[in-house]
Amino acid sequence: MMLVLFAILLWLSGWWINTRLAEGPQANSRAVRLAVPLIFGLTVLAVWELLVRGLNVPLVILPAPSLIAVRFAQSTGLLWQDFMQTFVKGALSGYVLGCGAAFLTAILVDRSDFLRRGLLPVGNFVAALPIVGTAPILVMWFGFDWESKAAVVVVMVFFPMLVNTVAGLSETTQMQRDLMETYAASYWQGFFKLRLPAAMPFIFNGLKISTTLALIGAIVAEFFGSPTMGMGFRISTSVGQLALDMVWAEIVVAALAGTLFYGAVALLERVATFWHPSQRG
């Protein structure tokens, strides 16, 4: 019971410190903006540890963070193998293929009213299909290795990227396009010098959305067939063995990979669209 009371006091202390920092005179400084989420995260982990041990929560219900950390440290080789299989081979390859194909298709849609009127409604329909229904079909088509996971990722990221890119290419006004025509600019000159720069925030929005979808798609696809490696395979088998600490270790790896992937794309967006008002200040 003492651990539970200590957890409550620790939570109130962390809340008080964060409130003082967030509402203090240095609230907008870089140090405070880093300290607030760091303190919050450490407080959550400490409270989690104290409550699990204080209430004697079984391992199969919720393991303590210290047990997850121990399992993580003991299984780095296995976790790295699963990371390479799921993220690098499945998610990343599918992300590149799906987003690249969507970008090229968006250019075709931009030049064709038929595709704009016919493909985009179909795209919205396909994007609404449940991944748990399409994933086993694609696994049967492309086999149990990483190629089927990449195919699932392509299906998941293609239409969000397509819709965002098409919307971005329509962002310029008719007056701006008319001005380019008065300069006798060709389609590609107008595309590269006017419409593509205006579409960049939309394109990066699609790329950022797709980072999360790619990782989710690759992990879910491994539930329906996989070689004896991969995050989804390890999670499904560890749940059957009641090794919940291993499941949480895989979740930590997936969360870190997804966060770093999203951060890398966001950083690339900041560099590529530094001129846009959304990147100022």
Side-chain angles (χ1 to χ4, degrees):
M1 198 61 189
M2 288 298 296
L3 292 178
V4 176
L5 293 176
F6 189 60
I8 295 173
L9 290 175
L10 187 62
W11 175 258
L12 294 175
S13 301
W15 190 279
W16 181 79
I17 293 172
N18 264 347
T19 303
R20 296 294 299 269
L21 288 174
E23 297 177 354
Q26 303 297 323
N28 293 323
S29 65
R30 182 182 293 271
V32 172
R33 283 186 292 173
L34 289 174
V36 170
L38 186 62
I39 293 172
F40 185 81
L42 292 176
T43 304
V44 170
L45 289 176
V47 170
W48 178 357
E49 179 82 24
L50 292 170
L51 288 179
V52 168
R53 294 190 179 279
L55 298 174
N56 293 320
V57 178
L59 174 65
V60 295
I61 300 298
L62 183 64
S66 58
L67 295 178
I68 299 171
V70 170
R71 170 64 75 153
F72 191 99
Q74 293 175 342
S75 309
T76 51
L78 198 61
L79 293 171
W80 176 255
Q81 175 182 291
D82 292 341
F83 169 80
M84 293 296 291
Q85 175 70 19
T86 302
F87 182 78
V88 177
K89 292 183 178 179
L92 198 57
S93 60
Y95 178 85
V96 172
L97 290 173
C99 291
F103 181 77
L104 296 177
T105 306
I107 296 175
L108 295 177
V109 170
D110 181 63
R111 304 198 67 178
S112 170
D113 285 334
F114 166 73
L115 289 176
R116 185 182 297 109
R117 296 172 188 273
L119 182 61
L120 289 184
V122 175
N124 293 329
F125 173 77
V126 174
L129 294 176
I131 185 61
V132 293
T134 56
I137 297 172
L138 293 171
V139 170
M140 293 296 291
W141 286 357
F142 294 95
F144 293 102
D145 211 340
W146 65 270
E147 291 88 349
S148 59
K149 287 65 187 174
V152 173
V153 173
V154 168
V155 171
M156 289 194 69
V157 305
F158 181 83
F159 288 104
M161 183 66 189
L162 175 66
V163 171
N164 276 279
T165 305
V166 171
L169 293 177
S170 303
E171 179 65 7
T172 53
T173 64
Q174 186 62 46
M175 185 177 293
Q176 290 173 317
R177 292 193 289 270
D178 290 344
L179 182 61
M180 292 298 290
E181 291 182 4
T182 61
Y183 293 152
S186 66
Y187 172 81
W188 292 112
Q189 286 174 321
F191 179 83
F192 285 111
K193 295 182 179 179
L194 173 64
R195 305 179 69 194
L196 184 59
M200 291 299 280
F202 290 84
I203 294 172
F204 275 103
N205 190 42
L207 290 173
K208 288 189 291 186
I209 293 172
S210 299
T211 57
T212 307
L213 294 176
L215 194 54
I216 293 173
I219 292 175
V220 170
E222 287 179 347
F223 279 77
F224 299 97
S226 170
T228 56
M229 65 180 75
M231 295 181 191
F233 168 79
R234 197 73 57 199
I235 289 172
S236 62
T237 56
S238 297
V239 167
Q241 299 166 351
L242 299 181
L244 270 295
D245 51 347
M246 189 63 192
V247 174
W248 279 96
E250 292 285 357
I251 291 173
V252 170
V253 173
L256 290 175
T259 303
L260 292 176
F261 191 20
Y262 183 93
V265 175
L267 181 62
L268 184 61
E269 177 190 20
R270 193 174 184 82
V271 173
T273 61
F274 64 92
W275 45 269
H276 195 268
S278 63
Q279 302 296 333
R280 296 174 191 163

